[in-house]
Amino acid sequence: MSIGILGKKLGMSQFFDEEGKSIPVTLIEAGPCRITQIKSEATDGYTAVQLGFGDIREKLVNKPAKGHLAKSGEAPLRHLKEYRLEAIDGLELGAPVTVGDFSPGQKVDVSGDTIGRGFSGLQKRHGFSRGPMSHGSKNHREPGSIGAGTTPGRVYPGKRMAGRYGGKQITTRGLTILKVDAERNLLVVKGSVPGKPGALLDIRPARRVGVPAAN
Amino acid sequence: MATEIDPSTEVDPQTPDAEPQSVEAETATETVMATAATTVKVTTGKLSARALIDEFEAAQLKSDLPEIYVGDTVKVGVRIREGNKERVQPYEGVVIAKRHGGLNQTITVRRIFQGIGVERVFMLHSPQVASVKVERRGKVRRAKLFYLRDRVGKATRVKQRFDR
């Protein structure tokens, strides 16, 4: 049974399957995480566990966080993340969560921040087509018309325009785990995941609408 | 990156406290060396992201590939599955291009089949490529022999070289 795990994106590579097909894969260094808090119906009104991940220097942790982490173990942790669970029996404070909880063939959802692209224009942000670059045209990457005239006399809400693009959390769903290396804390998933190498990722068993969660 | 370690803590057999780390580092390199001829830079303990990816790829690299140059005539054994049966079909031709490196390395092999030029791109480290044998070394002055596409008959011959 896997709760979920926090990890770091290492980068992409490829993998040959039995048929010799080359499959694009992402390598993720996931865990080991530590259970830092268990939330129960009695204390919090719902059931969940909080996992901690990542080395951090002692002095970078403030006192409240230190006090919270001290309940579950010695080492300070950089990231904390809560996972809603139906059953929390058998889970212990301070217990490790490793990639060993996942198995090859399992489907997972991977969340993380996408690559930040800053203030981007319409071509990059919304896939608009651009104007001609030559033949006297001055409309290279302009937005064009953003609406009608006096009627309605305003721009409709939701009109796609230039603005901040990327750098927000998305979830890539239903990725297949191809390999689990418990020794190296390595997860190999098929396909791509959000962010650049080094980005923090949240890996959970895949959930589907209408399909009850496995745990 | 948390795993980047400053050079002073690099494996040094002289200092006693570095001893267990050096053992670890050695075993790590050995496993990689055993699978392929590439060396992975190993720092103490934890591996960097690049090293982990290199190790993952090194495990899939073939160690028995011959050295292939552009211009060589090679015979490639291609695994073909027909239903449940698997057989190896040879494909012979001139290497007109090499691309990429490492796990992604490919060669483009050109041959004239029934009067029609056929080019196939093989991923050298793919299990579909059962074997590669160099039949003849070619003497060429280009890295890509795309000019062969415009030639017919005798002009498509590549001069043989004997020093490789």
Side-chain angles (χ1 to χ4, degrees), chain A residues 21 27-28 31 33 50 57-59 68 78 83 110 115 125 135 147 156 170 172 179 187 196-197 203-204 208 212 215:
Chain A
K21 275 188 199 150
L27 273 70
I28 302 167
C33 294
Q50 188 189 60
R57 275 178 294 151
E58 192 93 42
K59 67 177 269 198
H68 172 69
R78 189 179 288 272
Y83 294 88
V110 180
I115 296 170
R125 193 173 185 224
H135 298 295
Y156 287 127
I170 63 152
T172 311
K179 243 179 163 179
L187 279 180
K196 285 202 170 188
I203 302 127
R204 281 156 291 134
R208 285 279 162 277
N215 54 53

Side-chain angles (χ1 to χ4, degrees), chain A residues 5-38:
Chain A
I5 200 165
L6 291 168
K8 191 177 83 177
K9 175 170 173 176
L10 293 177
M12 292 195 72
S13 179
Q14 61 182 39
F15 180 74
F16 289 111
D17 69 359
E18 314 85 58
E19 286 176 41
K21 275 188 199 150
S22 174
I23 297 170
V25 295
T26 308
L27 273 70
I28 302 167
E29 191 175 34
C33 294
R34 186 172 89 209
I35 296 181
T36 51
Q37 190 182 6
I38 297 173

Side-chain angles (χ1 to χ4, degrees), chain A residues 7 30 32 34 44-45 74 81 86 97 108 143 154 165 181 185 189 214-215:
Chain A
R34 186 172 89 209
D44 303 273
E74 290 288 304
K81 170 93 190 162
E86 291 299 317
V97 174
V108 288
R154 63 190 173 93
Y165 179 37
D181 186 346
N185 293 315
V189 298
N215 54 53

Side-chain angles (χ1 to χ4, degrees), chain A residues 56-78:
Chain A
I56 188 172
R57 275 178 294 151
E58 192 93 42
K59 67 177 269 198
L60 296 177
V61 186
N62 64 19
K63 267 191 175 176
K66 219 177 270 183
H68 172 69
L69 291 168
K71 290 174 198 157
S72 60
E74 290 288 304
L77 298 165
R78 189 179 288 272

Side-chain angles (χ1 to χ4, degrees), chain A residues 120-122 125-126 128 143 146 155-156 158-164:
Chain A
S120 301
L122 289 156
R125 193 173 185 224
H126 297 299
F128 282 21
I146 56 169
V155 176
Y156 287 127
K159 173 70 199 148
R160 290 175 295 171
M161 293 197 187
R164 288 273 187 102

Side-chain angles (χ1 to χ4, degrees), chain B residues 7-133:
Chain B
S8 62
T9 60
E10 208 108 272
V11 176
D12 182 4
Q14 308 255 288
T15 53
D17 57 350
E19 210 67 62
Q21 290 170 341
S22 76
V23 172
E24 239 182 66
E26 262 170 39
T27 48
T29 33
E30 263 172 36
T31 48
V32 173
M33 297 276 275
T35 46
T38 52
T39 45
V40 172
K41 192 189 157 220
V42 178
T43 50
T44 47
K46 242 174 136 188
L47 294 171
S48 71
R50 190 64 249 175
L52 282 165
I53 294 173
D54 285 345
E55 195 186 89
F56 175 76
E57 292 185 351
Q60 299 179 68
L61 289 174
K62 289 178 189 169
S63 55
D64 55 348
L65 285 175
E67 229 179 313
I68 300 163
Y69 298 90
V70 170
D72 293 353
T73 304
V74 293
K75 198 178 219 170
V76 182
V78 192
R79 279 216 175 87
I80 291 177
R81 273 185 88 158
E82 286 167 339
N84 285 330
K85 259 189 263 175
E86 202 182 76
R87 64 188 183 86
V88 174
Q89 190 185 59
Y91 178 85
E92 194 176 332
V94 181
V95 178
I96 62 162
K98 285 207 292 182
R99 288 190 104 128
H100 309 302
L103 189 56
N104 216 357
Q105 172 115 51
T106 62
I107 55 169
T108 305
V109 183
R110 179 179 171 88
R111 71 176 291 200
I112 306 292
F113 183 68
Q114 292 174 359
I116 293 164
V118 177
E119 281 176 22
R120 286 185 77 174
V121 182
F122 295 104
M123 294 191 84
L124 284 179
H125 295 280
S126 163
Q128 274 175 355
V129 174
S131 66
V132 183
K133 197 171 162 247

Side-chain angles (χ1 to χ4, degrees), chain A residues 1-4 33-40 47-51 72 82-98 101 215:
Chain A
M1 187 198 89
S2 42
I3 307 163
C33 294
R34 186 172 89 209
I35 296 181
T36 51
Q37 190 182 6
I38 297 173
K39 296 195 172 183
S40 65
T47 54
V49 289
Q50 188 189 60
L51 299 186
S72 60
E82 190 174 300
Y83 294 88
R84 291 290 285 263
L85 287 181
E86 291 299 317
I88 51 161
D89 313 328
L91 295 173
E92 257 178 71
L93 258 187
V97 174
T98 62
D101 297 343
N215 54 53

